[in-house]
Amino acid sequence: MFTSVLMIEKALTSVDVEFVTTLHGDEPVTFHVLLQPRGDQADRLLRAIDDIALGELDEAVREGETPEGHEARSVGQQALDVSLQALRAAGSRAEGRLVEDHPLDALKSLVAEVGADEVIVLTDPHYVEEFFHRDWASRARHKVGVPVLKLFSHSKAQGE
């Protein structure tokens, strides 16, 4: 059994689920999912710059509507539940938790706790953070002691 820690910021799309569940061919995979809601991450300005860089001007305008704080955790829990159900429906074992503080510390602890074989960081592009190597994947490579794979998520979550 292969053990992956999957770090996400929103509900997985069906394409994302298919991609991560087929990365290792027929080998069974257990996923330990960490989700930090987008509203609990970078400030609105950085998120808006990323949206503009992607040509998604309407998304940049709506960054002020992104749930933050307690509301972000509620939305995050729903996204986590949907993602876990989708991974299980695809035949994988999956469990998960929300990250409220210090996502890289939570990641490092979980990797050690479950004896993970790899970390998969599956997020939208974050160009400003990536340019300065401050994105999750770049920082995790120096912290977790296992291979870190960085993937970009697909835009529409299941049910949208």
Side-chain angles (χ1 to χ4, degrees):
M1 174 80 54
F2 202 82
T3 302
S4 293
V5 173
L6 178 59
M7 204 162 178
I8 60 175
E9 62 188 357
K10 64 181 183 178
L12 296 173
T13 67
S14 56
V15 176
D16 294 334
V17 170
E18 181 179 355
F19 190 48
V20 299
T21 58
T22 59
L23 280 173
H24 301 288
D26 293 334
E27 186 171 358
V29 179
T30 296
F31 289 97
H32 296 272
V33 181
L34 288 176
L35 184 142
Q36 184 180 37
R38 183 173 164 98
D40 280 355
Q41 297 172 29
D43 64 31
R44 289 180 181 157
L45 177 60
L46 286 179
R47 295 191 315 250
I49 290 169
D50 287 335
D51 291 335
I52 291 168
L54 289 169
E56 297 176 353
L57 299 179
D58 56 334
E59 290 295 322
V61 171
R62 288 197 298 261
E63 280 301 338
E65 301 168 12
T66 299
E68 295 182 353
H70 179 70
E71 189 179 338
R73 285 185 285 284
S74 175
V75 170
Q77 186 62 54
Q78 291 173 348
L80 179 61
D81 293 343
V82 166
S83 299
L84 293 174
Q85 290 171 358
L87 289 167
R88 291 174 187 142
S92 295
R93 293 175 55 190
E95 60 181 56
R97 59 182 91 153
L98 289 180
V99 176
E100 296 181 19
D101 298 312
H102 311 294
L104 292 174
D105 291 340
L107 177 63
K108 183 178 179 180
S109 295
L110 184 58
V111 166
E113 177 186 324
V114 301
D117 298 300
E118 70 180 356
V119 169
I120 301 171
V121 177
L122 182 69
T123 64
D124 289 334
H126 298 289
Y127 293 114
V128 174
E129 293 171 340
E130 289 167 21
F131 179 78
F132 291 106
H133 302 285
R134 301 302 302 158
D135 59 296
W136 285 342
S138 295
R139 294 179 359 199
R141 286 186 180 106
H142 303 288
K143 270 195 124 153
V144 298
V146 297
V148 177
L149 179 61
K150 179 179 180 174
L151 303 173
F152 292 123
S153 60
H154 292 78
S155 60
K156 296 293 180 189
Q158 292 182 355
E160 288 185 36

